[in-house]
Every structure is written in structure tokens, then in C-alpha cells.
């Protein structure tokens, strides 16, 4: 029995991106790869409705146009390659997050008192992921979430995301350039190049 569809996309169009169509199902972790400049980030931003775009996009059968933008972006959560921080301390970015989640990525409770300016790029990446998961999105759009991490932390992030997708019956679209990561985590793969979106990575 196939998993129910969560995100359905038909002819999504925005500047510098060919029309794309895809479906993400519950408990599915889909890896998206392709050459630099092909539009992977543009595609994620369009799915999150952060840039001007057109096409039919729905979440669990509800068209995007019927949801307030803020609600859509909580449910279809986008993690950029470089996260934004707008307050001095880590705690100010987390209205409610389980302390256990911090432990999953190698932090103790004291991290909430840290100054954002002291965070390394890898720490910012991991904490931004936790900030996103605190919203309990139905769909995760992750733009190279482990690019600045060492192997031990890559493993922690991969396990956390996989567990989240399974436990919440969520779906994930994960941009990565690493074939070995695709092999480890993907339930299926997509490939984006200048010609459009393809269902498999070319040999």
C-alpha cells in the first residue's frame, strides 16, 4: 500500500527555473541533486512560496492559495544553506523546543544561553534545523543541511531527520551533492539540470 501524498506540485514556474512537477509522500525522504546553478535553491524557495512563482501546489489536498502564507511556511518548512538569525542569543529563536532534540545534535541545555555571534557555521546549521523542526512542519525542504559538518555530526543530522520523517509521517526534500549521502538516506532521488527535473540521477 503506497503512502498518502503530502505535497503535490504541478508546473511550478519561476524565473530561471524550468517548470517542475513532483509529489512527496508521507515518510518519504527524497534527495535532490544536480549541477550548481541548475536552480535547486530556487526550486525550494518557490515550494516554500518565498519568491514569486506560479503553478498548482497543494499540501494534503489543500491548495496553497487557501492557506495564509505564514501557515504555509510553517507546514512546508524551508532550511536555507545559510540560516538567518535576528536576535543576540540562541534562546530568543526558540519559542518551544524539546531539550532532548538539542541532545540529539550534540548540544546541552546551556546552548540556549549562547550568543549567536559565537556560533560556528556548523553549529548554526544544526541549530537552524532544530529551530525548523520546532514548528513541526509536514514537509521539510533542506538545502544542503550537512555541507559544513564533520562525519559525526552528519550522521546525527541524518538520523534525526530520518526519525522525524518517520515519526511525524512527514516528507523531506533534501538537496545534496554527495552520492554517498544519497545512498545512505534517500528513499528515491531527483536530479535537476538546465533541461528540467528528472526522476533519477544520471549514470
Amino acid at each position: 500500500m503506497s503512502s498518502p501524498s503530502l505535497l503535490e506540485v504541478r508546473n511550478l514556474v519561476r524565473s530561471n527555473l524550468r517548470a517542475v512537477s513532483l509529489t512527496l509522500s508521507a515518510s518519504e525522504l527524497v534527495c535532490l541533486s544536480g549541477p550548481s546553478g541548475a536552480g535547486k535553491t530556487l526550486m525550494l524557495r518557490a515550494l516554500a512560496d518565498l519568491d514569486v512563482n506560479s503553478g498548482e501546489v497543494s499540501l494534503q489536498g489543500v491548495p496553497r492559495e487557501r492557506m495564509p502564507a505564514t501557515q504555509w511556511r510553517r507546514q512546508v518548512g524551508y532550511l536555507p544553506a545559510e540560516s538567518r538569525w535576528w536576535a543576540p542569543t540562541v534562546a530568543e529563536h526558540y519559542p518551544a523546543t524539546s531539550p532532548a532534540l538539542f541532545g540529539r545534535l550534540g548540544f546541552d541545555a546551556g546552548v540556549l544561553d549562547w550568543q549567536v555571534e559565537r556560533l560556528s557555521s556548523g553549529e548554526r546549521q544544526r541549530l537552524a534545523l532544530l529551530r525548523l523542526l520546532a514548528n513541526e512542519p509536514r514537509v521539510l525542504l533542506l538545502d544542503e543541511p550537512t555541507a559544513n559538518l564533520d562525519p559525526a555530526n552528519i550522521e546525527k543530522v541524518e538520523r534525526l531527520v530520518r526519525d522525524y520523517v518517520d515519526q511525524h509521517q512527514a516528507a523531506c526534500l533534501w538537496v545534496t551533492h554527495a552520492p554517498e549521502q544519497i545512498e545512505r538516506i534517500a528513499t528515491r532521488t531527483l536530479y535537476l539540470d538546465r533541461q528540467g527535473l528528472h526522476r533519477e540521477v544520471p549514470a
Side-chain angles (χ1 to χ4, degrees):
M1 183 176 178
S2 61
S3 299
S5 296
L6 283 183
L7 189 72
E8 296 188 12
V9 182
R10 294 182 182 179
N11 296 317
L12 181 74
V13 177
R14 61 145 293 163
S15 59
N16 300 314
L17 179 69
R18 283 181 175 267
V20 298
S21 298
L22 65 107
T23 299
L24 298 179
S25 299
S27 298
E28 192 171 38
L29 199 163
V30 178
C31 281
L32 174 65
S33 67
S36 297
K40 298 182 294 297
T41 295
L42 298 181
M43 177 177 158
L44 295 193
R45 288 183 59 86
L47 290 172
D49 204 23
L50 293 170
D51 299 323
V52 175
N53 65 89
S54 62
E56 299 177 24
V57 186
S58 61
L59 179 66
Q60 292 183 288
V62 179
R64 181 172 60 183
E65 294 75 18
R66 294 185 186 175
M67 286 191 198
T70 53
Q71 181 183 351
W72 179 265
R73 290 165 191 158
R74 286 180 68 90
Q75 294 294 298
V76 181
Y78 169 58
L79 182 68
E82 294 187 9
S83 57
R84 293 183 59 196
W85 299 82
W86 54 86
T89 67
V90 171
E92 293 171 273
H93 300 85
Y94 294 88
T97 303
S98 168
L101 282 181
F102 287 103
R104 291 285 305 271
L105 292 188
F107 297 105
D108 60 35
V111 70
L112 291 171
D113 297 323
W114 290 7
Q115 295 291 311
V116 169
E117 64 182 14
R118 65 155 281 189
L119 299 175
S120 69
S121 58
E123 288 168 341
R124 290 185 185 220
Q125 247 177 328
R126 287 180 286 149
L127 288 169
L129 174 61
L130 293 176
R131 188 175 69 196
L132 181 73
L133 296 183
N135 291 328
E136 298 189 349
R138 301 293 294 133
V139 177
L140 304 175
L141 306 173
L142 309 182
D143 197 350
E144 299 194 69
T146 59
N148 296 315
L149 304 184
D150 59 35
N153 282 310
I154 289 173
E155 182 181 359
K156 289 175 184 175
V157 168
E158 290 176 352
R159 186 180 298 117
L160 178 63
V161 172
R162 179 73 266 174
D163 289 348
Y164 180 89
V165 167
D166 288 341
Q167 292 167 9
H168 290 78
Q169 293 289 288
C172 177
L173 184 60
W174 179 315
V175 172
T176 178
H177 290 282
E180 65 276 10
Q181 184 168 63
I182 294 173
E183 182 69 25
R184 287 194 303 269
I185 67 174
T187 52
R188 63 185 172 96
T189 59
L190 296 172
Y191 184 86
L192 183 69
D193 59 19
R194 296 290 187 180
Q195 283 67 54
L197 188 65
H198 310 277
R199 296 186 181 277
E200 298 292 341
V201 178

